[in-house]
Amino acid sequence: MKKNYLFTSERLGFRNWTESDLKELEIMNSNIEVMEHFPKTLSQKENKELFNKLKLHYKKHKYTYFATETLDNKQFVGFIGLAFQEYKTKYTPAVDIGWRLKKSAWGKGYATEGAKRCLDFAFNQLNLKTVIATCTKNNYKSENVMKKVGMEKVGLFKHPLLKEYPKHEVCCCYSISKKT
């Protein structure tokens, strides 16, 4: 089946979400290890809400956390992309880059490859000037990806949407600006 990719990297295709992705999203977001740095795994209802939110975000902004799959065998690996964040911190509102990969896709360099390609898209197609990334302060794997793609740490903050989850509330913020 031919996929309608918005853009590709060397090994990955990035596209808007389709109904056939919902089950894969549910499987990924129900994995305890995948969701280690989030308050909890997501229920079927929460996954459907997230799925709809991602699709609506694309409709409004022409970017989202894109459904991401391998080009060689069309396997869903998770999401990598961009989202406009409006929660109140000294770093927002801003467009952030984020990723979540199913466990079988870990350790293959997909997050770094995808983040680099999404930053290229952000700066050269969307003409954004700056992109941020956030993660919980103990999410060293995500922080490492942020460093690998050239982002610099700008500080720590208490995430306003995680007040009820003290273990996850303190987050790191990284930033990168378009090179002129």
Side-chain angles (χ1 to χ4, degrees):
M1 176 168 101
K2 181 165 174 38
K3 298 289 183 159
N4 294 321
Y5 297 121
L6 299 163
F7 55 90
T8 61
S9 63
E10 183 180 338
R11 300 177 294 162
L12 303 171
F14 303 84
R15 58 180 174 72
N16 197 11
W17 295 82
T18 64
E19 291 301 318
S20 63
D21 297 317
L22 181 56
K23 188 64 182 164
E24 291 284 354
L25 186 66
E26 289 174 357
I27 292 167
M28 180 177 71
N29 289 334
S30 66
N31 183 293
I32 293 169
E33 290 176 90
V34 169
M35 300 300 286
E36 174 186 5
H37 298 285
F38 294 87
K40 62 187 182 74
T41 58
L42 301 184
S43 68
Q44 188 173 15
K45 179 180 182 231
E46 289 166 327
N47 275 298
K48 182 68 173 172
E49 290 168 355
L50 174 60
F51 176 79
N52 289 331
K53 183 178 171 184
L54 293 168
K55 287 176 35 175
L56 287 172
H57 191 282
Y58 179 78
K59 187 174 183 178
K60 181 177 181 182
H61 298 284
K62 299 302 177 215
Y63 60 85
T64 189
Y65 294 139
F66 299 106
T68 306
E69 61 189 21
T70 55
L71 292 174
D72 63 351
N73 62 8
K74 310 296 186 244
Q75 291 295 306
F76 177 89
V77 295
F79 62 71
I80 306 171
L82 305 161
F84 184 71
Q85 301 295 347
E86 296 183 87
Y87 56 80
K88 303 287 185 220
T89 73
K90 64 182 174 180
Y91 306 113
T92 54
V95 174
D96 93 334
I97 187 166
W99 46 85
R100 185 177 307 158
L101 301 178
K102 64 184 190 176
K103 189 164 186 240
S104 63
W106 291 3
K108 297 178 178 8
Y110 292 151
T112 301
E113 177 181 330
K116 285 179 180 177
R117 182 61 181 94
C118 287
L119 285 171
D120 177 70
F121 175 75
F123 294 138
N124 296 311
Q125 271 71 52
L126 301 174
N127 295 311
L128 298 177
K129 304 292 182 231
T130 301
V131 175
I132 67 167
T134 64
C135 66
T136 57
K137 73 174 185 170
N138 296 321
N139 189 343
Y140 304 115
K141 290 178 183 176
S142 278
E143 246 190 298
N144 193 40
V145 172
M146 294 170 196
K147 292 174 187 174
K148 284 181 180 179
V149 301
M151 301 185 94
E152 294 185 15
K153 191 173 190 174
V154 293
L156 296 174
F157 68 100
K158 287 190 174 185
H159 200 302
L161 302 179
L162 298 173
K163 284 181 182 176
E164 296 176 27
Y165 307 96
K167 178 181 171 188
H168 301 289
E169 184 180 16
V170 178
C171 294
C172 303
C173 184
Y174 278 70
S175 180
I176 189 168
S177 295
K178 182 176 183 173
K179 296 188 182 2
T180 53

